[in-house]
Amino acid sequence: MILQWNCRGFYRNLEELKLLVNRYNPKIVCLQETNFREKDIPKLKGFRAYRRDFLLGNRACGGVVIFVRNDIYCENDVSILSDIQMIHLTVYIPTKITVCNIYLPPAIPVTKGELTRHIRALPAPYVIVGDFNAHHTMWGSTHVSPRGRMLEDILVKENIALINKQEFTHFNSSNGSLSAIDLAFSSPSLLPLLDWTVHRDLCGSDHFPIMISCANQDANLSVVPRWSLKRAQWEKFASMANFRDQEFNNIDEEAEYITKVLVDAAETSIPKTSVTLKKTPAPWWNGECKNAIKNRKKALRQFYNQASEENLAKYKILRSKARRIIKESRKESWRQFVSTISQSTPSSEIWKKIKAIIGVRSTTQIPGLNINGSVKTEDLDKAELFAEAFAKVSGSDKYPNDFLSIKLEEENQAIDFSEEGCNQNYNIPFKMWELERSLSKSKNTSPGPDNVHYKFLQNLTQQNKIYLLRFYNRIWSGRQFPKAWSVAITIPIAKEGKDKSMPESYRPITLSSCLCKTLERM
């Protein structure tokens, strides 16, 4: 999804922008009239910015920026040698597409030839968005302006598709008139896939935010459900997680049986988290903010239904009031938070609150990976690339020579499993205290592929722990290892300051079976 908006000043309406991003979860955000100065460093959590500023003398006015979500692969922006305020990027969402953001001020002329030349230079397929300050009845204005007629000629001659649906996108706060000057175009091949929607609130600007979504993509991010251990009914779990003595053909069958008993008991006694990310409000959001925005929307609707100077003045007052309330609420939330910090406050709690106040959920998804100029965006392709990269740095040839010599010496020492060596410590069966100690040292980490959590083992009855101990001793004495325990989930974690499009810029975190790690610790 692309969020398009003439925000009339980035910092002026930043909090409103964050609310929009949290609501619609766009992959790309295109803003016009950002009014950035050269020293400004615009930040939107979870996004990286590509901008082109415009100064009139020493005064910042106009300018465009494209925010790209961190999990989207993006090729470097192309510098445009022109006075036109525009920028374009190539992104993979997941297929390759060019996104162009344009702002054409009403008082600065632009020629048909110059605009056509820049559009022809865009790699197809493309989406062009922006504030063109051009009026035409074909996209919803009440009249046709010279610039609107020029754009119509370009669309026809260059075979460019119009995405707009003849709805108003701009509100003139000086006289209360409505017009459609925020436009979106695309390559003809993209038009059947795109949906264009106007947000029904100005959000502090005089332009309505616009959402352009792809018809075959779900806007909601899904996550893997996890056990909600805080809501677990452990007594019920313990009563249902019962192992029964029976014959198994091999250790793999028994490991599968134990896993099934534990997971089945958990399914009936432990709820899971939602598969959809919740849109949690900012900590500064309160009833006063909600009512202020509600009243602002209501005043705008009243003016639509009955245009008058009185209703227009009422809307302007409520618009200013909403902006002031949001600003004060954010400051007050920060003051209250700072007053609660003491020496005993955990740093994790402090950072959690700071991130919440900043707003906008950051994504942990991995962008496309660039291998020798070929960009891989499919998850399976990315998994193969990570596997190759991690294998290269995990081989024995990467170990220091001193460690390799010690490793070889230790591995060459014979282990005596004969009857004569039965008194060796490693031949003595495990005791219950060793199992209990191993479980007590386990941390609250995520489970492996079998979805068995440490808490499951810790909350077993004593009788079932005895069964588990016998199972571990059968593995140890029989020198058999369950094949399922050789499978693990590997999660790539980006290294700080590294290029996220390169597989070598990630380190692996491996989630293996908690049943296996318990025995390993013993």
Side-chain angles (χ1 to χ4, degrees):
M1 175 183 284
I2 299 175
L3 169 59
Q4 167 194 352
W5 188 31
N6 182 326
C7 58
R8 293 299 300 273
F10 175 79
Y11 293 108
R12 180 187 184 193
N13 289 310
L14 178 56
E15 299 309 322
E16 299 271 8
L17 174 62
K18 291 177 180 178
L19 295 175
L20 287 168
V21 170
N22 272 325
R23 174 172 178 175
Y24 292 107
N25 188 35
K27 295 180 178 180
I28 310 292
V29 177
C30 296
L31 303 179
Q32 302 89 43
E33 284 200 82
T34 51
N35 296 341
F36 290 139
R37 298 179 180 86
E38 186 177 353
K39 64 179 181 180
D40 291 336
I41 304 177
K43 292 183 179 181
L44 187 63
K45 186 180 177 183
F47 292 78
R48 56 195 186 278
Y50 302 87
R51 57 193 264 201
R52 187 173 187 197
D53 306 335
F54 183 78
L55 297 176
L56 189 60
N58 294 324
R59 185 171 64 89
C61 61
V64 292
V65 64
I66 300 179
F67 286 100
V68 182
R69 209 168 67 188
N70 287 339
D71 63 316
I72 303 299
Y73 180 81
C74 171
E75 294 180 353
N76 291 334
D77 57 312
V78 180
S79 299
I80 300 174
L81 300 177
S82 170
D83 292 333
I84 296 180
Q85 299 178 43
M86 65 180 294
I87 187 173
H88 64 84
L89 308 171
T90 299
V91 297
Y92 292 75
I93 50 176
T95 55
K96 186 176 180 179
I97 184 174
T98 301
V99 178
C100 180
N101 186 16
I102 301 178
Y103 174 59
L104 301 180
I108 299 179
V110 59
T111 65
K112 178 180 176 181
E114 186 179 17
L115 191 57
T116 301
R117 177 169 56 86
H118 288 304
I119 292 176
R120 286 177 178 174
L122 296 177
Y126 54 76
V127 173
I128 305 171
V129 301
D131 177 5
F132 289 81
N133 281 293
H135 300 268
H136 202 292
T137 54
M138 69 182 296
W139 50 73
S141 292
T142 57
H143 66 284
V144 179
S145 67
R147 185 179 289 179
R149 189 172 291 108
M150 179 190 70
L151 275 180
E152 180 191 16
D153 292 340
I154 294 176
L155 296 183
V156 173
K157 291 181 180 179
E158 301 300 322
N159 192 25
I160 301 173
L162 173 68
I163 307 177
N164 286 55
K165 295 182 179 179
Q166 292 196 333
E167 294 183 36
F168 295 125
T169 65
H170 175 249
F171 174 76
N172 190 328
S173 57
S174 61
N175 57 26
S177 63
L178 292 166
S179 59
I181 56 177
D182 302 279
L183 309 177
F185 312 109
S186 75
S187 301
S189 60
L190 292 180
L191 183 61
L193 305 176
L194 301 177
D195 187 34
W196 185 88
T197 308
V198 178
H199 182 67
R200 296 287 64 170
D201 183 21
L202 290 165
C203 300
S205 175
D206 54 4
H207 293 255
F208 292 96
I210 298 167
M211 272 56 65
I212 302 172
S213 58
C214 190
N216 60 355
Q217 289 185 357
D218 187 2
N220 294 322
L221 286 175
S222 60
V223 294
V224 178
R226 297 178 297 173
W227 300 111
S228 182
L229 300 177
K230 292 182 179 180
R231 297 183 291 160
Q233 302 177 52
W234 290 118
E235 291 184 3
K236 183 178 180 180
F237 171 83
S239 66
M240 301 190 68
N242 291 311
F243 305 122
R244 305 185 188 282
D245 291 320
Q246 52 187 294
E247 294 293 328
F248 297 98
N249 294 323
N250 51 57
I251 206 69
D252 291 316
E253 286 188 4
E254 188 170 7
E256 183 180 356
Y257 165 73
I258 290 175
T259 300
K260 186 176 186 307
V261 169
L262 293 171
V263 173
D264 287 349
E267 291 284 359
T268 59
S269 57
I270 305 175
K272 289 184 177 180
T273 57
S274 173
V275 298
T276 304
L277 287 173
K278 294 182 179 179
K279 293 178 170 57
T280 52
W284 50 264
W285 181 263
N286 53 33
E288 191 176 9
C289 294
K290 182 178 179 180
N291 289 331
I293 291 181
K294 181 180 179 181
N295 292 334
R296 183 182 67 190
K297 290 181 179 179
K298 183 179 179 181
L300 184 60
R301 287 196 302 269
Q302 287 178 342
F303 179 78
Y304 282 166
N305 297 330
Q306 187 176 358
S308 65
E309 292 185 3
E310 181 182 354
N311 286 339
L312 178 59
K314 181 180 178 181
Y315 166 72
K316 290 181 179 180
I317 292 172
L318 291 176
R319 181 181 62 180
S320 299
K321 183 179 179 181
R323 184 181 291 115
R324 175 178 54 80
I325 288 175
I326 290 174
K327 185 176 181 180
E328 292 177 353
S329 177
R330 192 169 184 268
K331 286 183 178 179
E332 181 60 27
S333 175
W334 177 254
R335 282 195 293 265
Q336 290 180 1
F337 167 62
V338 171
S339 65
T340 62
I341 297 177
S342 63
Q343 292 181 342
S344 60
T345 305
S347 60
S348 58
E349 182 179 333
I350 295 175
W351 280 112
K352 183 179 179 181
K353 184 74 172 182
I354 291 175
K355 290 178 180 179
I357 291 177
I358 292 174
V360 183
R361 178 189 285 110
S362 60
T363 179
T364 56
Q365 291 182 308
I366 296 169
L369 299 178
N370 189 344
I371 303 298
N372 299 324
S374 176
V375 179
K376 306 296 183 182
T377 58
E378 296 297 332
D379 288 341
L380 183 59
D381 294 335
K382 289 189 282 188
E384 292 293 340
L385 291 174
F386 279 125
E388 293 177 9
F390 295 154
K392 287 180 181 178
V393 298
S394 301
S396 297
D397 59 324
K398 298 296 181 181
Y399 295 146
N401 291 331
D402 293 344
F403 175 78
L404 280 175
S405 61
I406 297 173
K407 178 175 180 289
L408 183 63
E409 181 182 347
E410 292 292 332
E411 290 176 347
N412 285 334
Q413 292 185 13
I415 299 177
D416 187 4
F417 289 110
S418 65
E419 292 184 3
E420 290 77 10
C422 62
N423 291 326
Q424 296 289 340
N425 286 337
Y426 48 72
N427 286 331
I428 299 174
F430 290 110
K431 302 294 192 298
M432 178 56 70
W433 68 267
E434 292 177 291
L435 173 59
E436 293 285 8
R437 183 181 63 178
S438 176
L439 291 176
S440 67
K441 289 185 176 181
S442 62
K443 298 181 180 180
N444 189 26
T445 55
S446 299
D450 56 12
N451 215 13
V452 174
H453 199 279
Y454 279 126
K455 289 288 186 181
F456 298 179
L457 309 182
Q458 293 170 347
N459 283 277
L460 289 173
T461 62
Q462 191 64 23
Q463 180 179 353
N464 287 295
K465 285 182 179 179
I466 292 173
Y467 182 98
L468 184 62
L469 179 64
R470 291 202 303 266
F471 169 64
Y472 282 150
N473 280 318
R474 280 193 287 275
I475 293 175
W476 193 247
S477 61
R479 284 176 279 172
Q480 303 177 71
F481 189 79
K483 294 179 181 178
W485 290 2
S486 299
V487 180
I489 299 172
T490 300
I491 302 174
I493 304 296
K495 299 176 183 178
E496 189 69 27
K498 298 292 185 178
D499 183 1
K500 294 183 179 180
S501 67
M502 305 299 292
E504 296 79 10
S505 301
Y506 294 79
R507 58 183 178 86
I509 296 293
T510 300
L511 305 178
S512 54
S513 169
C514 291
L515 283 165
C516 175
K517 289 187 288 186
T518 300
L519 176 59
E520 179 184 347
R521 195 177 295 110
M522 291 166 65

